[in-house]
Amino acid sequence: MAFSWDDMRIFIAVAREGSLSGAGTALKLDPATVGRRVQRLEESLGAPLFLKSPQGYAPSEAGERLMPHAEELEQAMLTAEDAVRGQEDRLTGAIRVGAPDGCANFLLPQVVARICDAHPELEVQIVSLPRVFNLNRREADMAIAVSRPTAGRLTVQKITDYHLYLAAHRRWLKGNPIERLDDLRGKRLVGYIPDMIFDKELDYLGELGLEKVQLASNSVSVQFAWVRQGKGIGVVHGFALGNAGRVERVLPEEVALRRTFWLVRHADDRRVRRMSRFAELLCEGLRAEVERLEAEA
């Protein structure tokens, strides 16, 4: 029994989203319609594709076997679409970029806006989440990471290095002079919630031998707000310091951390010219923006 790409895209969406409602939102379809289409596909194949539970829909054994073939078809459709659109050097359609909080807040808005200014038919979605993105579930078309992935069918390229500094508001420093690292003992530290640090590269205070954090959040933006309001001392991105008002670096000769942004993509997306062109512009834009903002700070 033959089935169509439309059948496969519905199957893929349910498998990735884990529910009819999630798939319906992603596909802009009514969940009941998604359910009927899944049932019809299961009947045509003569096998249940999902195991249904109160937690949602999980691929059955047959669904697991079908998934790689469905994804191959998905990639073929993306490549075909790109071949049709690729007659002109312009970017169109939607691209979703996942990024850690700091990059998503301080760098991506202006970088992406410039790309969209040059390509008005392009739609870019920035997803900021304090965790590692699962590209295999298509949570994003590409993701920016602070650690280089070592597993999965992914392509990884270095975007740029960036720097972080110990920083505090001048008002806070007047009452809490810091002349050496030992002076930080007993001071109010701003940082990540220890058990919510999703990547070892984000354990800045641990690297400095500081463990007790009085003001903690899994959001870089919240941490930055506390530092800017003079509520404590923490580690701040160098590219954010230009917008930090009277916040200044503390012990810059002793505390200057360097990290790297990596662009992570699906391995098969190398064949999609639109994705590769956008990735090229994104990397160029991020490198230039980090350099500009760090120089200004």
Side-chain angles (χ1 to χ4, degrees):
M1 174 77 181
F3 44 82
S4 67
W5 159 239
D6 206 39
D7 293 327
M8 286 298 96
R9 76 186 186 100
I10 288 175
F11 164 73
I12 290 170
V14 175
R16 287 176 178 160
E17 299 296 332
S19 69
L20 299 181
S21 59
T25 299
L27 297 171
K28 298 180 180 178
L29 292 174
D30 180 83
T33 300
V34 175
R36 287 194 296 271
R37 296 290 295 277
V38 168
Q39 183 178 5
R40 188 178 72 183
L41 179 59
E42 289 178 327
E43 290 172 353
S44 69
L45 293 174
L49 298 176
F50 295 99
L51 302 174
K52 307 169 186 67
S53 73
Q55 286 71 44
Y57 280 55
S60 65
E61 185 177 342
E64 294 283 2
R65 291 197 302 270
L66 179 61
M67 193 63 179
H69 301 289
E71 289 181 328
E72 283 183 14
L73 181 56
E74 178 186 45
Q75 190 60 48
M77 293 300 296
L78 288 172
T79 304
E81 181 183 359
D82 183 65
V84 173
R85 286 177 167 169
Q87 299 303 312
E88 301 176 33
D89 188 24
R90 71 177 194 271
L91 296 175
T92 62
I95 296 177
R96 178 176 292 180
V97 181
D101 204 13
C103 181
N105 279 278
F106 302 119
L107 297 173
L108 280 181
Q110 59 269 33
V111 171
V112 164
R114 291 184 197 119
I115 296 174
C116 288
D117 285 343
H119 300 274
E121 297 176 74
L122 181 66
E123 174 189 338
V124 180
Q125 303 168 355
I126 298 174
V127 183
S128 172
L129 288 177
R131 62 171 174 80
V132 176
F133 280 81
N134 187 334
L135 291 186
N136 291 326
R137 292 191 58 189
R138 292 282 174 175
E139 291 182 333
D141 294 301
M142 58 186 70
I144 297 165
V146 293
S147 282
R148 180 175 188 142
T150 56
R153 293 190 66 255
L154 303 169
T155 59
V156 183
Q157 68 183 96
K158 179 178 178 178
I159 302 175
T160 187
D161 291 332
Y162 63 98
H163 300 85
L164 303 108
Y165 301 95
L166 197 63
H169 195 282
R170 292 176 189 173
R171 182 177 65 250
W172 186 89
L173 288 170
K174 283 183 179 180
N176 300 274
I178 306 294
E179 297 181 358
R180 57 186 185 276
L181 277 176
D182 283 347
D183 292 337
L184 293 171
R185 308 292 176 185
K187 297 296 191 295
R188 178 184 280 177
L189 299 179
V190 174
Y192 280 100
I193 300 170
D195 62 359
M196 296 187 73
I197 296 176
F198 67 89
D199 191 303
K200 61 181 177 58
E201 297 292 339
L202 302 179
D203 189 12
Y204 313 130
L205 296 178
E207 185 171 325
L208 300 176
L210 304 168
E211 298 179 356
K212 188 173 177 57
V213 180
Q214 287 80 14
L215 292 176
S217 173
N218 67 332
S219 166
V220 167
S221 299
V222 174
Q223 296 174 37
F224 184 66
W226 276 325
V227 171
R228 192 168 51 183
Q229 292 166 13
K231 304 303 181 183
I233 185 169
V235 174
V236 174
H237 293 84
F239 53 70
L241 282 171
N243 296 315
R246 295 171 63 83
V247 171
E248 61 184 44
R249 290 184 290 179
V250 178
L251 304 177
E253 300 301 320
E254 296 181 53
V255 183
L257 308 177
R258 185 173 69 180
R259 296 293 189 267
T260 301
F261 283 134
W262 303 90
L263 185 67
V264 186
R265 300 171 57 195
H266 302 277
D268 291 336
D269 281 353
R270 289 175 299 178
R271 294 181 294 174
V272 181
R273 192 174 106 178
R274 181 174 68 102
M275 290 293 187
S276 294
R277 178 59 179 149
F278 177 80
E280 178 184 351
L281 293 174
L282 185 67
C283 290
E284 289 176 357
L286 285 171
R287 279 192 290 269
E289 191 66 4
V290 168
E291 183 178 356
R292 180 184 73 83
L293 291 176
E294 289 195 348
E296 288 182 359

